[in-house]
Amino acid sequence: MKLLRWFVLFGLFAHAATAFAQPGITIVSSAPTPDGGQSYSVTIQILMLMTALTLLPSAVMMMTSFTRIAIVLSILRQALGTPQTPSTQIIVGLSLFLTFFVMAPVFNRVNTDALQPYLNEKISGEVALQKAQAPFHKFMLAQTRESDLSLFTTLSGKEGYASTDDIPFSVLVPAFVTSELKTAFQIGFLIFIPFVVIDLVVASVLMSMGMMMLSPMMISMPFKLMLFVLVDGWTMVLSTLTASFSVH
């Protein structure tokens, strides 16, 4: 039932994006032709609706914690020296469910303030969209660096905003994504350091033993895996990722 509610919520976003709120959509309209026939055309509203539904998953993905989590887990896979393990499907799936965990307070507030009143026909689609935007706006603003926000504010041609609530999504979303990329690479750099040290030690030992033809990566990978398991690496990485998002 929860998944069904979120599908309905996504449909709500698409509904408001088309900027109309009539109870029904005329998919095909007909008009008489001079020769007595009929001509049929698909309304522009349904075209806009389908376009919004196509772009909606990417937009929602970039407005959540998914970007940071997916990049950090991909960097971790490279640092371990196992570029194919875990597989990309596992990385994406883990990132998705961890995103649901991190974004749970935001989703719950959207469900309480916007989705349920809209389903109960207490508010219109436009009002529901405005109420649904507020939790996402607050979450993204908390994760966005002021420098990135100032950059895109300047690029948009605006001098500034009276309050943070006035910042439009057209400015906030690119600033948020830029900040997420920076944060993800910073975390990835810290993850890489101990594994690079192991690679350097193994390479130095092999060079001192005259085994220059032996690949250091083949020898260091078991040690990196052992270190990662001994320190309970998955728990550390996932807990650090979750804690990296400020409380909202």
Side-chain angles (χ1 to χ4, degrees):
M1 290 299 295
K2 289 186 177 180
L3 290 177
L4 179 59
R5 289 181 179 179
W6 295 126
F7 279 122
V8 174
L9 178 60
F10 293 158
L12 172 61
F13 275 99
H15 166 84
T18 58
F20 64 91
Q22 58 267 30
I25 303 174
T26 302
I27 298 179
V28 179
S29 61
S30 63
T33 59
D35 58 0
Q38 294 284 334
S39 63
Y40 299 92
S41 63
V42 178
T43 58
I44 188 64
Q45 288 90 347
I46 193 64
L47 179 61
M48 295 174 63
L49 177 62
M50 297 305 296
T51 302
L53 288 175
T54 303
L55 299 176
L56 189 61
S58 298
V60 173
M61 185 180 299
M62 301 302 290
M63 294 166 58
T64 63
S65 58
F66 181 86
T67 301
R68 183 190 305 184
I69 296 172
I71 291 177
V72 170
L73 294 181
S74 298
I75 293 177
L76 172 62
R77 183 173 61 178
Q78 295 292 328
L80 286 171
T82 56
Q84 302 299 326
T85 305
S87 64
T88 302
Q89 292 84 350
I90 295 177
I91 293 293
V92 173
L94 181 58
S95 302
L96 186 61
F97 282 99
L98 197 59
T99 298
F100 287 151
F101 176 79
V102 172
M103 299 296 295
V106 176
F107 290 155
N108 290 335
R109 184 178 173 186
V110 171
N111 180 60
T112 303
D113 297 344
L115 181 58
Q116 292 302 322
Y118 174 75
L119 294 178
N120 295 328
E121 299 182 354
K122 295 181 179 179
I123 57 177
S124 64
E126 284 72 16
V127 175
L129 178 64
Q130 294 176 358
K131 291 181 177 294
Q133 286 177 348
F136 284 98
H137 192 281
K138 181 180 179 181
F139 171 79
M140 290 190 293
L141 193 62
Q143 310 303 323
T144 305
R145 292 177 172 83
E146 293 185 4
S147 58
D148 296 326
L149 197 58
S150 300
L151 170 63
F152 284 96
T153 300
T154 304
L155 293 177
S156 66
K158 302 290 184 179
E159 295 296 332
Y161 297 96
S163 66
T164 56
D165 295 335
D166 298 331
I167 300 175
F169 277 89
S170 59
V171 174
L172 181 57
V173 171
F176 169 74
V177 174
T178 304
S179 293
E180 287 295 281
L181 291 174
K182 289 181 180 179
T183 304
F185 275 82
Q186 289 175 350
I187 298 175
F189 170 76
L190 296 177
I191 291 176
F192 240 106
I193 291 178
F195 299 113
V196 170
V197 171
I198 294 177
D199 287 334
L200 291 175
V201 171
V202 171
S204 300
V205 171
L206 292 178
M207 287 289 292
S208 63
M209 297 176 62
M211 299 180 179
M212 293 178 291
M213 301 300 294
L214 185 61
S215 173
M217 293 295 297
M218 184 175 64
I219 304 299
S220 63
M221 187 176 68
F223 290 99
K224 290 190 288 188
L225 292 176
M226 180 181 65
L227 172 65
F228 193 69
V229 171
L230 288 177
V231 300
D232 199 6
W234 285 112
T235 301
M236 292 180 60
V237 171
L238 297 182
S239 61
T240 301
L241 273 175
T242 303
S244 66
F245 295 94
S246 59
V247 179
H248 41 273

